[in-house]
Amino acid sequence: MFNIAIVGSGVIGLSTATVIQDYLKSTAKVTIYSENVSPNTTSDVAAGLWTPYLFFDTSEDKILEWAALTHNQFLKLWKNGSASEAGVSLQFVKSVSEAPYSPFAKHIKFGEQPMMPIDIEEMSKLLKQSFQSGVTYVTVACEPIKYLPYLLEQFLKHGGTLKREKVYHLEHLSGYDLIVNCCGLGASDLNGDTQMRPVRGQVVRVKAPWQFTSVLVGNVYIIPNLSYTILGGTSQIGDCDISIRDSDTTKILHGCNTLVPSIKNAEIIQHNVGIRPGRIKVRLEKDIINVNGKQTPIIHNYGHGGCGITLSYGCAISTAILVKEALNIPHMSKL
Ligand SMILES: Cc1cc2nc3c(=O)[nH]c(=O)nc-3n(C[C@H](O)[C@H](O)[C@H](O)COP(=O)(O)OP(=O)(O)OC[C@H]3O[C@@H](n4cnc5c(N)ncnc54)[C@H](O)[C@@H]3O)c2cc1C
């Protein structure tokens, strides 16, 4: 029996934990150590829309690989009857950008179509910005405040243990054959990663049950989830202030009300701030650390920036493969 410790219970830690359980079955005992758990992680603040965004210099090939695997997994949950429990929906998206059109991830989205120039001009006039391109497509969204408890339930059902503790030093996690580091932004402190780039995001959660379309126009977005509609947003690089700023709230509400006037009538439920765990590149690799004189493999899986939900399942699969290699378990089957 392999003893595996995972640090972190955001979307990355929980996805990784459940995929490792699935890959190693009864040969692994998995324990998660987590300072914060849902609903108090950054993952809970996310709007949960499948969309590759703010991933800095991570290679596009890797992003496409991980994002495609996650897209398939969300779709599988939507099809197999788990949509309500896991918080998954399939939705229409209108996305308008200041950048020229790029076909990036077009093959994963369903039915991507260019928007009419007249519609893009209208958005430019409304928000007093110069937008250059716009597309419509259908994709999946996965509401974190439902998805995280769903993953945790799966993890516990399969014999996992959750310890609500802060880990001060990875080298103190003794008694494990392997450690997986999914601590998100915590990597700056926990393992002294100087390549982290925190990105502040503020959102407003409202009740707008008539809203079935995600609208993404520059920095302004409206993303319906099953429980709430998320209005955003901000992407302030290097800013770790978790207090709600009235100036951001005003800007978000003004932008969203301008794009979809009925949002004015939506009841405000909550204001949230999350600090995205940006990094120069997503870190997904094996290393070795010394734990009480024992050379212990550690797999890092953190730094997913603005698209941790979008990459979660794909990165969990890549991590599970590295776990099997590190423990010398043959790749061919799931065991
Ligand atoms: C406003 C906003 C909107 C977003 N919208 C989207 C979206 O629509 N789609 C999308 O794909 N992504 C979105 N994101 C990005 C997404 O939220 C993140 O990429 C994702 O949550 C990162 O997940 P994570 O598990 O790495 O980090 P986290 O959720 O921060 O989890 C890290 C975990 O590690 C634990 N931890 C850290 N340090 C320690 C330690 N020393 N000891 C023990 N535990 C520790 C924490 O307590 C926590 O449990 C959004 C983010 C924000 C802020």
Side-chain angles (χ1 to χ4, degrees):
M1 171 81 82
F2 296 108
N3 250 331
I4 297 177
I6 297 186
V7 183
S9 68
V11 71
I12 300 298
L14 289 172
S15 305
T16 304
T18 49
V19 171
I20 289 175
Q21 284 178 323
D22 185 32
Y23 269 46
L24 272 68
K25 300 276 188 275
S26 56
T27 60
K29 182 168 170 13
V30 184
T31 304
I32 295 180
Y33 289 80
S34 199
E35 183 181 10
N36 295 312
V37 298
S38 180
N40 299 314
T41 70
T42 303
S43 300
D44 291 283
V45 178
L49 187 69
W50 180 96
T51 186
Y53 169 67
L54 258 176
F55 49 83
F56 297 104
D57 295 337
T58 310
S59 88
E60 293 195 346
D61 285 352
K62 279 287 158 201
I63 293 294
L64 288 176
E65 177 194 328
W66 294 326
L69 286 164
T70 311
H71 194 273
N72 279 349
Q73 174 66 6
F74 289 168
L75 207 58
K76 190 172 138 194
L77 293 172
W78 186 77
K79 284 181 184 165
N80 77 7
S82 308
S84 152
E85 210 189 338
V88 179
S89 60
L90 199 57
Q91 55 181 270
F92 185 68
V93 181
K94 278 176 160 184
S95 175
V96 176
S97 167
E98 283 176 320
Y101 171 72
S102 151
F104 185 67
K106 177 176 187 216
H107 62 290
I108 308 174
K109 302 165 185 169
F110 296 126
E112 184 182 281
Q113 292 289 328
M115 278 173 67
M116 303 280 281
I118 191 166
D119 291 333
I120 300 170
E121 270 168 41
E122 190 194 342
M123 302 276 190
S124 298
K125 273 188 204 147
L126 282 173
L127 291 190
K128 299 187 177 63
Q129 267 175 277
S130 181
F131 296 114
Q132 285 200 50
S133 62
V135 288
T136 61
Y137 56 91
V138 170
T139 191
V140 275
C142 187
E143 181 172 2
I145 56 170
K146 281 181 169 271
Y147 189 51
L148 266 58
Y150 167 81
L151 288 175
L152 179 60
E153 195 187 321
Q154 300 294 317
F155 173 69
L156 297 174
K157 203 163 83 185
H158 290 98
T161 304
L162 173 66
K163 295 194 178 192
R164 295 181 65 165
E165 293 174 23
K166 179 166 179 158
V167 175
Y168 290 92
H169 300 281
L170 289 165
E171 293 76 7
H172 290 179
L173 289 171
S174 59
Y176 293 99
D177 300 293
L178 183 141
I179 297 165
V180 185
N181 182 11
C182 303
C183 69
L185 203 59
S188 307
D189 286 340
L190 185 58
N191 47 297
D193 191 323
T194 54
Q195 298 188 29
M196 298 304 292
R197 286 188 189 173
V199 185
R200 181 180 180 276
Q202 181 168 326
V203 293
V204 185
R205 286 187 147 71
V206 299
K207 279 270 178 209
W210 58 83
Q211 184 69 29
F212 296 105
T213 298
S214 276
V215 183
L216 321 173
V217 183
N219 254 341
V220 180
Y221 60 81
I222 300 168
I223 300 175
N225 279 180
L226 302 191
S227 318
Y228 308 108
T229 293
I230 316 295
L231 310 181
T234 70
S235 297
Q236 294 136 332
I237 297 182
D239 189 341
C240 291
D241 177 14
I242 54 162
S243 57
I244 309 291
R245 289 185 196 148
D246 289 346
S247 54
D248 284 337
T249 305
T250 306
K251 215 165 66 187
I252 291 167
L253 292 177
H254 175 74
C256 293
N257 292 341
T258 306
L259 287 176
V260 178
S262 57
I263 290 295
K264 278 193 195 96
N265 305 319
E267 181 193 353
I268 294 181
I269 306 296
Q270 229 174 29
H271 299 267
N272 300 97
V273 172
I275 312 299
R276 301 173 179 91
R279 190 175 185 273
I280 290 173
K281 283 181 185 175
V282 171
R283 186 171 187 202
L284 206 163
E285 63 183 4
K286 181 188 150 191
D287 199 356
I288 300 281
I289 57 168
N290 188 319
V291 180
N292 280 343
K294 182 180 161 197
Q295 295 296 94
T296 306
I298 178 164
I299 315 294
H300 296 285
N301 180 11
Y302 63 82
H304 300 81
C307 52
I309 312 293
T310 307
L311 307 180
S312 55
Y313 185 77
C315 287
I317 298 271
S318 291
T319 304
I321 291 170
L322 291 180
V323 167
K324 287 180 83 170
E325 278 172 14
L327 296 174
N328 290 319
I329 300 170
H331 250 352
M332 304 303 287
S333 63
K334 282 191 176 175
L335 223 211

